[in-house]
Amino acid sequence: MSNPAPFGASQSILAPTLIVHSIERYFLADIVIIAQMSVPETTRDLRVPPSKRGIVRSPIERAPHTRTLIVSKLGEHGVLCRCCDVRPEVDTRNEATRKWNWDVQIMPENPARYPGLAGADAREAVNVAVTRFRLTDGRVVAAQELALFRQRLIDGFRAISTDLVVHGGSWEWDMSWWPNAETS
């Protein structure tokens, strides 16, 4: 299989992925939502801003946060998936989306734009791109969730397309890579 740049340039979870298939009618949002729901939520204690009480500030506090994926419409045909750490029953959806770890943009593409990658019978292509991410100590925050989400997205297309071709990015997820939710 040919893998020219940019889609073959890296096997990183941050590299763009092109999914080429011949499905005429499908609902991109449904595939994204199924992938989103297959990534387990995890809980961790994170710092919260100190409360202001007059002039004296309280010490930095920690509170349980749930790492979750939030899906929203992007333009007319695209979908955005955002990984956020939210405080259950405290954060509104608006507040939660400001606490992002990474964003993945999933956009339908014309396969004719990629003549070396899309076969002659390719009717559709989807570009999966990590548009922003956070680093902590040189590591991508929520990298396991990102890798699993991308794999489940590919699995969703693979379930409905017998001639699926995937270029670039990391895929072929192994469930043994998923950490215990208590230690992640």
Side-chain angles (χ1 to χ4, degrees):
M1 163 175 33
S2 169
N3 245 352
F7 296 103
S10 173
Q11 291 299 308
S12 166
I13 61 169
L14 301 175
T17 301
L18 183 70
I19 302 170
V20 181
H21 58 85
S22 62
I23 306 162
E24 286 190 52
R25 302 189 129 225
Y26 70 99
F27 296 102
L28 179 60
D30 291 344
I31 296 171
V32 173
I33 289 169
I34 291 168
Q36 170 223 9
M37 291 175 13
S38 71
V39 176
E41 291 184 339
T42 56
T43 303
R44 58 205 15 89
D45 279 339
L46 299 174
R47 293 185 303 181
V48 294
S51 334
K52 293 181 182 176
R53 297 186 184 120
I55 317 172
V56 181
R57 291 186 176 208
S58 64
I60 293 181
E61 301 169 7
R62 297 184 77 75
H65 286 66
T66 300
R67 182 160 289 163
T68 189
L69 304 184
I70 299 173
V71 172
S72 57
K73 188 174 179 181
L74 184 64
E76 190 174 330
H77 301 289
V79 180
L80 178 73
C81 184
R82 178 171 286 162
C83 177
C84 302
D85 291 327
V86 300
R87 290 181 294 168
E89 289 95 36
V90 176
D91 292 333
T92 65
R93 180 179 169 97
N94 229 8
E95 292 169 327
T97 57
R98 288 193 305 260
K99 297 178 179 182
W100 60 270
N101 294 311
W102 49 256
D103 285 355
V104 173
Q105 177 178 306
I106 304 105
M107 296 293 290
E109 296 274 356
N110 181 347
R113 289 184 61 197
Y114 309 99
L117 300 176
D121 62 341
R123 292 191 177 102
E124 298 287 334
V126 177
N127 188 351
V128 180
V130 177
T131 55
R132 65 181 180 167
F133 57 93
R134 290 188 196 271
L135 293 174
T136 299
D137 298 326
R139 294 178 164 188
V140 175
V141 176
Q144 290 147 325
E145 287 86 349
L146 175 57
L148 183 57
F149 171 73
R150 288 171 58 119
Q151 179 61 41
R152 292 302 184 222
L153 190 63
I154 292 166
D155 290 345
F157 278 100
R158 189 175 286 140
I160 59 174
S161 177
T162 57
D163 59 350
L164 184 75
V165 178
V166 180
H167 297 281
S170 66
W171 47 292
E172 298 303 329
W173 175 266
D174 182 340
M175 278 306 286
S176 68
W177 298 341
W178 186 256
N180 180 336
E182 298 300 315
T183 60
S184 66

PDB file of all heavy atoms in Angstrom, residues 110-142:
ATOM      1  N   ASN A 110     -13.223  15.056  -0.792  1.00  0.00           N
ATOM      2  CA  ASN A 110     -13.376  14.521  -2.129  1.00  0.00           C
ATOM      3  C   ASN A 110     -12.154  13.630  -2.401  1.00  0.00           C
ATOM      4  O   ASN A 110     -11.029  14.118  -2.377  1.00  0.00           O
ATOM      5  CB  ASN A 110     -13.440  15.668  -3.139  1.00  0.00           C
ATOM      6  CG  ASN A 110     -13.611  15.184  -4.550  1.00  0.00           C
ATOM      7  OD1 ASN A 110     -13.456  14.004  -4.857  1.00  0.00           O
ATOM      8  ND2 ASN A 110     -13.932  16.101  -5.441  1.00  0.00           N
ATOM      9  N   PRO A 111     -12.369  12.334  -2.666  1.00  0.00           N
ATOM     10  CA  PRO A 111     -11.215  11.450  -2.876  1.00  0.00           C
ATOM     11  C   PRO A 111     -10.362  11.847  -4.083  1.00  0.00           C
ATOM     12  O   PRO A 111      -9.187  11.482  -4.156  1.00  0.00           O
ATOM     13  CB  PRO A 111     -11.834  10.068  -3.040  1.00  0.00           C
ATOM     14  CG  PRO A 111     -13.268  10.273  -3.288  1.00  0.00           C
ATOM     15  CD  PRO A 111     -13.633  11.624  -2.750  1.00  0.00           C
ATOM     16  N   ALA A 112     -10.912  12.617  -5.002  1.00  0.00           N
ATOM     17  CA  ALA A 112     -10.143  13.059  -6.176  1.00  0.00           C
ATOM     18  C   ALA A 112      -8.982  13.971  -5.768  1.00  0.00           C
ATOM     19  O   ALA A 112      -8.022  14.116  -6.515  1.00  0.00           O
ATOM     20  CB  ALA A 112     -11.062  13.783  -7.154  1.00  0.00           C
ATOM     21  N   ARG A 113      -9.046  14.560  -4.572  1.00  0.00           N
ATOM     22  CA  ARG A 113      -7.945  15.393  -4.075  1.00  0.00           C
ATOM     23  C   ARG A 113      -6.711  14.561  -3.753  1.00  0.00           C
ATOM     24  O   ARG A 113      -5.628  15.103  -3.573  1.00  0.00           O
ATOM     25  CB  ARG A 113      -8.378  16.133  -2.808  1.00  0.00           C
ATOM     26  CG  ARG A 113      -9.383  17.233  -3.050  1.00  0.00           C
ATOM     27  CD  ARG A 113      -9.694  17.983  -1.789  1.00  0.00           C
ATOM     28  NE  ARG A 113      -8.474  18.604  -1.263  1.00  0.00           N
ATOM     29  CZ  ARG A 113      -8.344  19.058  -0.029  1.00  0.00           C
ATOM     30  NH1 ARG A 113      -9.340  18.960   0.810  1.00  0.00           N
ATOM     31  NH2 ARG A 113      -7.229  19.605   0.372  1.00  0.00           N
ATOM     32  N   TYR A 114      -6.884  13.251  -3.619  1.00  0.00           N
ATOM     33  CA  TYR A 114      -5.796  12.355  -3.229  1.00  0.00           C
ATOM     34  C   TYR A 114      -5.656  11.244  -4.270  1.00  0.00           C
ATOM     35  O   TYR A 114      -5.884  10.074  -3.967  1.00  0.00           O
ATOM     36  CB  TYR A 114      -6.081  11.765  -1.847  1.00  0.00           C
ATOM     37  CG  TYR A 114      -6.411  12.816  -0.822  1.00  0.00           C
ATOM     38  CD1 TYR A 114      -7.729  13.092  -0.470  1.00  0.00           C
ATOM     39  CD2 TYR A 114      -5.399  13.555  -0.209  1.00  0.00           C
ATOM     40  CE1 TYR A 114      -8.025  14.071   0.463  1.00  0.00           C
ATOM     41  CE2 TYR A 114      -5.697  14.540   0.711  1.00  0.00           C
ATOM     42  CZ  TYR A 114      -7.005  14.787   1.044  1.00  0.00           C
ATOM     43  OH  TYR A 114      -7.298  15.760   1.966  1.00  0.00           O
ATOM     44  N   PRO A 115      -5.264  11.576  -5.497  1.00  0.00           N
ATOM     45  CA  PRO A 115      -5.250  10.561  -6.559  1.00  0.00           C
ATOM     46  C   PRO A 115      -4.313   9.385  -6.282  1.00  0.00           C
ATOM     47  O   PRO A 115      -4.592   8.265  -6.699  1.00  0.00           O
ATOM     48  CB  PRO A 115      -4.808  11.343  -7.799  1.00  0.00           C
ATOM     49  CG  PRO A 115      -4.135  12.566  -7.276  1.00  0.00           C
ATOM     50  CD  PRO A 115      -4.766  12.863  -5.943  1.00  0.00           C
ATOM     51  N   GLY A 116      -3.226   9.595  -5.564  1.00  0.00           N
ATOM     52  CA  GLY A 116      -2.308   8.500  -5.281  1.00  0.00           C
ATOM     53  C   GLY A 116      -2.771   7.611  -4.142  1.00  0.00           C
ATOM     54  O   GLY A 116      -2.275   6.503  -3.966  1.00  0.00           O
ATOM     55  N   LEU A 117      -3.752   8.073  -3.375  1.00  0.00           N
ATOM     56  CA  LEU A 117      -4.205   7.315  -2.204  1.00  0.00           C
ATOM     57  C   LEU A 117      -5.555   6.651  -2.409  1.00  0.00           C
ATOM     58  O   LEU A 117      -5.809   5.582  -1.881  1.00  0.00           O
ATOM     59  CB  LEU A 117      -4.276   8.239  -0.985  1.00  0.00           C
ATOM     60  CG  LEU A 117      -2.969   8.903  -0.566  1.00  0.00           C
ATOM     61  CD1 LEU A 117      -3.220   9.857   0.587  1.00  0.00           C
ATOM     62  CD2 LEU A 117      -1.952   7.861  -0.183  1.00  0.00           C
ATOM     63  N   ALA A 118      -6.446   7.329  -3.118  1.00  0.00           N
ATOM     64  CA  ALA A 118      -7.799   6.801  -3.309  1.00  0.00           C
ATOM     65  C   ALA A 118      -7.839   5.992  -4.593  1.00  0.00           C
ATOM     66  O   ALA A 118      -7.362   6.446  -5.628  1.00  0.00           O
ATOM     67  CB  ALA A 118      -8.799   7.943  -3.368  1.00  0.00           C
ATOM     68  N   GLY A 119      -8.415   4.828  -4.516  1.00  0.00           N
ATOM     69  CA  GLY A 119      -8.535   3.995  -5.707  1.00  0.00           C
ATOM     70  C   GLY A 119      -9.561   4.568  -6.670  1.00  0.00           C
ATOM     71  O   GLY A 119     -10.294   5.510  -6.352  1.00  0.00           O
ATOM     72  N   ALA A 120      -9.668   3.971  -7.857  1.00  0.00           N
ATOM     73  CA  ALA A 120     -10.572   4.465  -8.887  1.00  0.00           C
ATOM     74  C   ALA A 120     -12.038   4.364  -8.467  1.00  0.00           C
ATOM     75  O   ALA A 120     -12.859   5.170  -8.877  1.00  0.00           O
ATOM     76  CB  ALA A 120     -10.341   3.689 -10.186  1.00  0.00           C
ATOM     77  N   ASP A 121     -12.367   3.362  -7.638  1.00  0.00           N
ATOM     78  CA  ASP A 121     -13.765   3.186  -7.233  1.00  0.00           C
ATOM     79  C   ASP A 121     -14.097   3.885  -5.908  1.00  0.00           C
ATOM     80  O   ASP A 121     -15.206   3.761  -5.404  1.00  0.00           O
ATOM     81  CB  ASP A 121     -14.102   1.701  -7.132  1.00  0.00           C
ATOM     82  CG  ASP A 121     -13.261   0.982  -6.085  1.00  0.00           C
ATOM     83  OD1 ASP A 121     -12.204   1.522  -5.704  1.00  0.00           O
ATOM     84  OD2 ASP A 121     -13.663  -0.120  -5.663  1.00  0.00           O
ATOM     85  N   ALA A 122     -13.176   4.643  -5.366  1.00  0.00           N
ATOM     86  CA  ALA A 122     -13.424   5.338  -4.096  1.00  0.00           C
ATOM     87  C   ALA A 122     -14.467   6.424  -4.292  1.00  0.00           C
ATOM     88  O   ALA A 122     -14.320   7.293  -5.139  1.00  0.00           O
ATOM     89  CB  ALA A 122     -12.130   5.938  -3.561  1.00  0.00           C
ATOM     90  N   ARG A 123     -15.530   6.348  -3.521  1.00  0.00           N
ATOM     91  CA  ARG A 123     -16.592   7.343  -3.610  1.00  0.00           C
ATOM     92  C   ARG A 123     -16.460   8.403  -2.535  1.00  0.00           C
ATOM     93  O   ARG A 123     -16.924   9.512  -2.684  1.00  0.00           O
ATOM     94  CB  ARG A 123     -17.941   6.654  -3.485  1.00  0.00           C
ATOM     95  CG  ARG A 123     -18.274   5.768  -4.644  1.00  0.00           C
ATOM     96  CD  ARG A 123     -19.736   5.335  -4.557  1.00  0.00           C
ATOM     97  NE  ARG A 123     -20.075   4.542  -5.696  1.00  0.00           N
ATOM     98  CZ  ARG A 123     -20.170   3.224  -5.683  1.00  0.00           C
ATOM     99  NH1 ARG A 123     -19.955   2.565  -4.575  1.00  0.00           N
ATOM    100  NH2 ARG A 123     -20.488   2.564  -6.764  1.00  0.00           N
ATOM    101  N   GLU A 124     -15.872   8.033  -1.419  1.00  0.00           N
ATOM    102  CA  GLU A 124     -15.797   8.947  -0.281  1.00  0.00           C
ATOM    103  C   GLU A 124     -14.432   8.848   0.387  1.00  0.00           C
ATOM    104  O   GLU A 124     -13.773   7.816   0.326  1.00  0.00           O
ATOM    105  CB  GLU A 124     -16.866   8.594   0.771  1.00  0.00           C
ATOM    106  CG  GLU A 124     -18.292   8.716   0.293  1.00  0.00           C
ATOM    107  CD  GLU A 124     -18.747  10.146   0.142  1.00  0.00           C
ATOM    108  OE1 GLU A 124     -18.204  11.033   0.824  1.00  0.00           O
ATOM    109  OE2 GLU A 124     -19.651  10.390  -0.664  1.00  0.00           O
ATOM    110  N   ALA A 125     -14.066   9.922   1.056  1.00  0.00           N
ATOM    111  CA  ALA A 125     -12.857   9.939   1.882  1.00  0.00           C
ATOM    112  C   ALA A 125     -13.159  10.794   3.103  1.00  0.00           C
ATOM    113  O   ALA A 125     -13.973  11.728   3.043  1.00  0.00           O
ATOM    114  CB  ALA A 125     -11.681  10.505   1.109  1.00  0.00           C
ATOM    115  N   VAL A 126     -12.533  10.462   4.212  1.00  0.00           N
ATOM    116  CA  VAL A 126     -12.702  11.208   5.454  1.00  0.00           C
ATOM    117  C   VAL A 126     -11.311  11.531   5.982  1.00  0.00           C
ATOM    118  O   VAL A 126     -10.464  10.649   6.092  1.00  0.00           O
ATOM    119  CB  VAL A 126     -13.500  10.382   6.503  1.00  0.00           C
ATOM    120  CG1 VAL A 126     -13.598  11.127   7.808  1.00  0.00           C
ATOM    121  CG2 VAL A 126     -14.882  10.043   5.971  1.00  0.00           C
ATOM    122  N   ASN A 127     -11.096  12.800   6.294  1.00  0.00           N
ATOM    123  CA  ASN A 127      -9.827  13.243   6.853  1.00  0.00           C
ATOM    124  C   ASN A 127     -10.001  13.383   8.366  1.00  0.00           C
ATOM    125  O   ASN A 127     -10.887  14.104   8.826  1.00  0.00           O
ATOM    126  CB  ASN A 127      -9.422  14.575   6.233  1.00  0.00           C
ATOM    127  CG  ASN A 127      -8.022  14.987   6.623  1.00  0.00           C
ATOM    128  OD1 ASN A 127      -7.389  14.399   7.479  1.00  0.00           O
ATOM    129  ND2 ASN A 127      -7.551  16.032   5.977  1.00  0.00           N
ATOM    130  N   VAL A 128      -9.172  12.682   9.129  1.00  0.00           N
ATOM    131  CA  VAL A 128      -9.203  12.733  10.587  1.00  0.00           C
ATOM    132  C   VAL A 128      -7.933  13.454  11.026  1.00  0.00           C
ATOM    133  O   VAL A 128      -6.829  12.950  10.804  1.00  0.00           O
ATOM    134  CB  VAL A 128      -9.258  11.318  11.201  1.00  0.00           C
ATOM    135  CG1 VAL A 128      -9.287  11.377  12.714  1.00  0.00           C
ATOM    136  CG2 VAL A 128     -10.451  10.543  10.655  1.00  0.00           C
ATOM    137  N   ALA A 129      -8.081  14.640  11.621  1.00  0.00           N
ATOM    138  CA  ALA A 129      -6.912  15.446  11.969  1.00  0.00           C
ATOM    139  C   ALA A 129      -6.996  15.928  13.413  1.00  0.00           C
ATOM    140  O   ALA A 129      -8.016  16.442  13.844  1.00  0.00           O
ATOM    141  CB  ALA A 129      -6.816  16.657  11.035  1.00  0.00           C
ATOM    142  N   VAL A 130      -5.908  15.740  14.150  1.00  0.00           N
ATOM    143  CA  VAL A 130      -5.800  16.308  15.499  1.00  0.00           C
ATOM    144  C   VAL A 130      -5.466  17.784  15.293  1.00  0.00           C
ATOM    145  O   VAL A 130      -4.413  18.122  14.760  1.00  0.00           O
ATOM    146  CB  VAL A 130      -4.701  15.607  16.319  1.00  0.00           C
ATOM    147  CG1 VAL A 130      -4.564  16.252  17.691  1.00  0.00           C
ATOM    148  CG2 VAL A 130      -4.999  14.119  16.446  1.00  0.00           C
ATOM    149  N   THR A 131      -6.400  18.656  15.674  1.00  0.00           N
ATOM    150  CA  THR A 131      -6.206  20.083  15.403  1.00  0.00           C
ATOM    151  C   THR A 131      -5.558  20.830  16.561  1.00  0.00           C
ATOM    152  O   THR A 131      -5.005  21.903  16.359  1.00  0.00           O
ATOM    153  CB  THR A 131      -7.544  20.751  15.044  1.00  0.00           C
ATOM    154  OG1 THR A 131      -8.494  20.496  16.083  1.00  0.00           O
ATOM    155  CG2 THR A 131      -8.066  20.201  13.723  1.00  0.00           C
ATOM    156  N   ARG A 132      -5.635  20.286  17.761  1.00  0.00           N
ATOM    157  CA  ARG A 132      -4.903  20.859  18.886  1.00  0.00           C
ATOM    158  C   ARG A 132      -4.793  19.808  19.980  1.00  0.00           C
ATOM    159  O   ARG A 132      -5.615  18.899  20.080  1.00  0.00           O
ATOM    160  CB  ARG A 132      -5.518  22.153  19.399  1.00  0.00           C
ATOM    161  CG  ARG A 132      -6.891  22.022  19.997  1.00  0.00           C
ATOM    162  CD  ARG A 132      -7.381  23.394  20.431  1.00  0.00           C
ATOM    163  NE  ARG A 132      -8.699  23.275  21.019  1.00  0.00           N
ATOM    164  CZ  ARG A 132      -9.290  24.212  21.705  1.00  0.00           C
ATOM    165  NH1 ARG A 132      -8.678  25.364  21.897  1.00  0.00           N
ATOM    166  NH2 ARG A 132     -10.487  24.041  22.209  1.00  0.00           N
ATOM    167  N   PHE A 133      -3.734  19.960  20.797  1.00  0.00           N
ATOM    168  CA  PHE A 133      -3.509  19.008  21.882  1.00  0.00           C
ATOM    169  C   PHE A 133      -2.652  19.686  22.942  1.00  0.00           C
ATOM    170  O   PHE A 133      -1.952  20.652  22.671  1.00  0.00           O
ATOM    171  CB  PHE A 133      -2.826  17.728  21.366  1.00  0.00           C
ATOM    172  CG  PHE A 133      -1.514  17.966  20.677  1.00  0.00           C
ATOM    173  CD1 PHE A 133      -0.321  17.901  21.383  1.00  0.00           C
ATOM    174  CD2 PHE A 133      -1.468  18.263  19.327  1.00  0.00           C
ATOM    175  CE1 PHE A 133       0.887  18.124  20.758  1.00  0.00           C
ATOM    176  CE2 PHE A 133      -0.263  18.480  18.691  1.00  0.00           C
ATOM    177  CZ  PHE A 133       0.923  18.411  19.399  1.00  0.00           C
ATOM    178  N   ARG A 134      -2.716  19.158  24.155  1.00  0.00           N
ATOM    179  CA  ARG A 134      -1.910  19.662  25.267  1.00  0.00           C
ATOM    180  C   ARG A 134      -0.767  18.680  25.550  1.00  0.00           C
ATOM    181  O   ARG A 134      -0.935  17.479  25.434  1.00  0.00           O
ATOM    182  CB  ARG A 134      -2.744  19.806  26.524  1.00  0.00           C
ATOM    183  CG  ARG A 134      -3.758  20.896  26.482  1.00  0.00           C
ATOM    184  CD  ARG A 134      -4.398  21.057  27.873  1.00  0.00           C
ATOM    185  NE  ARG A 134      -5.606  21.823  27.802  1.00  0.00           N
ATOM    186  CZ  ARG A 134      -5.657  23.148  27.896  1.00  0.00           C
ATOM    187  NH1 ARG A 134      -4.555  23.840  28.049  1.00  0.00           N
ATOM    188  NH2 ARG A 134      -6.795  23.784  27.824  1.00  0.00           N
ATOM    189  N   LEU A 135       0.349  19.256  25.972  1.00  0.00           N
ATOM    190  CA  LEU A 135       1.491  18.453  26.400  1.00  0.00           C
ATOM    191  C   LEU A 135       1.739  18.707  27.882  1.00  0.00           C
ATOM    192  O   LEU A 135       1.629  19.842  28.347  1.00  0.00           O
ATOM    193  CB  LEU A 135       2.748  18.842  25.626  1.00  0.00           C
ATOM    194  CG  LEU A 135       2.780  18.531  24.136  1.00  0.00           C
ATOM    195  CD1 LEU A 135       4.034  19.111  23.516  1.00  0.00           C
ATOM    196  CD2 LEU A 135       2.705  17.039  23.888  1.00  0.00           C
ATOM    197  N   THR A 136       2.064  17.659  28.615  1.00  0.00           N
ATOM    198  CA  THR A 136       2.503  17.762  29.995  1.00  0.00           C
ATOM    199  C   THR A 136       3.735  16.884  30.124  1.00  0.00           C
ATOM    200  O   THR A 136       3.678  15.684  29.802  1.00  0.00           O
ATOM    201  CB  THR A 136       1.411  17.291  30.977  1.00  0.00           C
ATOM    202  OG1 THR A 136       0.258  18.120  30.814  1.00  0.00           O
ATOM    203  CG2 THR A 136       1.877  17.361  32.413  1.00  0.00           C
ATOM    204  N   ASP A 137       4.821  17.473  30.574  1.00  0.00           N
ATOM    205  CA  ASP A 137       6.092  16.749  30.699  1.00  0.00           C
ATOM    206  C   ASP A 137       6.475  16.061  29.394  1.00  0.00           C
ATOM    207  O   ASP A 137       6.954  14.924  29.386  1.00  0.00           O
ATOM    208  CB  ASP A 137       6.029  15.729  31.840  1.00  0.00           C
ATOM    209  CG  ASP A 137       5.794  16.392  33.191  1.00  0.00           C
ATOM    210  OD1 ASP A 137       6.288  17.516  33.388  1.00  0.00           O
ATOM    211  OD2 ASP A 137       5.103  15.784  34.038  1.00  0.00           O
ATOM    212  N   GLY A 138       6.229  16.729  28.267  1.00  0.00           N
ATOM    213  CA  GLY A 138       6.599  16.198  26.964  1.00  0.00           C
ATOM    214  C   GLY A 138       5.700  15.095  26.441  1.00  0.00           C
ATOM    215  O   GLY A 138       6.025  14.453  25.449  1.00  0.00           O
ATOM    216  N   ARG A 139       4.563  14.863  27.090  1.00  0.00           N
ATOM    217  CA  ARG A 139       3.638  13.811  26.664  1.00  0.00           C
ATOM    218  C   ARG A 139       2.289  14.412  26.311  1.00  0.00           C
ATOM    219  O   ARG A 139       1.855  15.382  26.929  1.00  0.00           O
ATOM    220  CB  ARG A 139       3.431  12.789  27.779  1.00  0.00           C
ATOM    221  CG  ARG A 139       4.662  12.015  28.103  1.00  0.00           C
ATOM    222  CD  ARG A 139       4.387  11.070  29.226  1.00  0.00           C
ATOM    223  NE  ARG A 139       5.446  10.073  29.277  1.00  0.00           N
ATOM    224  CZ  ARG A 139       5.410   9.036  30.047  1.00  0.00           C
ATOM    225  NH1 ARG A 139       4.392   8.835  30.851  1.00  0.00           N
ATOM    226  NH2 ARG A 139       6.407   8.182  30.042  1.00  0.00           N
ATOM    227  N   VAL A 140       1.613  13.800  25.356  1.00  0.00           N
ATOM    228  CA  VAL A 140       0.273  14.237  24.972  1.00  0.00           C
ATOM    229  C   VAL A 140      -0.693  13.862  26.095  1.00  0.00           C
ATOM    230  O   VAL A 140      -0.745  12.699  26.510  1.00  0.00           O
ATOM    231  CB  VAL A 140      -0.175  13.586  23.648  1.00  0.00           C
ATOM    232  CG1 VAL A 140      -1.612  13.958  23.320  1.00  0.00           C
ATOM    233  CG2 VAL A 140       0.764  13.979  22.519  1.00  0.00           C
ATOM    234  N   VAL A 141      -1.429  14.845  26.598  1.00  0.00           N
ATOM    235  CA  VAL A 141      -2.420  14.583  27.649  1.00  0.00           C
ATOM    236  C   VAL A 141      -3.564  13.776  27.028  1.00  0.00           C
ATOM    237  O   VAL A 141      -4.028  14.089  25.935  1.00  0.00           O
ATOM    238  CB  VAL A 141      -2.953  15.910  28.248  1.00  0.00           C
ATOM    239  CG1 VAL A 141      -4.053  15.647  29.259  1.00  0.00           C
ATOM    240  CG2 VAL A 141      -1.810  16.699  28.880  1.00  0.00           C
ATOM    241  N   ALA A 142      -3.978  12.735  27.706  1.00  0.00           N
ATOM    242  CA  ALA A 142      -5.066  11.854  27.265  1.00  0.00           C
ATOM    243  C   ALA A 142      -4.722  11.147  25.951  1.00  0.00           C
ATOM    244  O   ALA A 142      -5.583  10.933  25.104  1.00  0.00           O
ATOM    245  CB  ALA A 142      -6.383  12.617  27.160  1.00  0.00           C
TER     246      ALA A 142
END
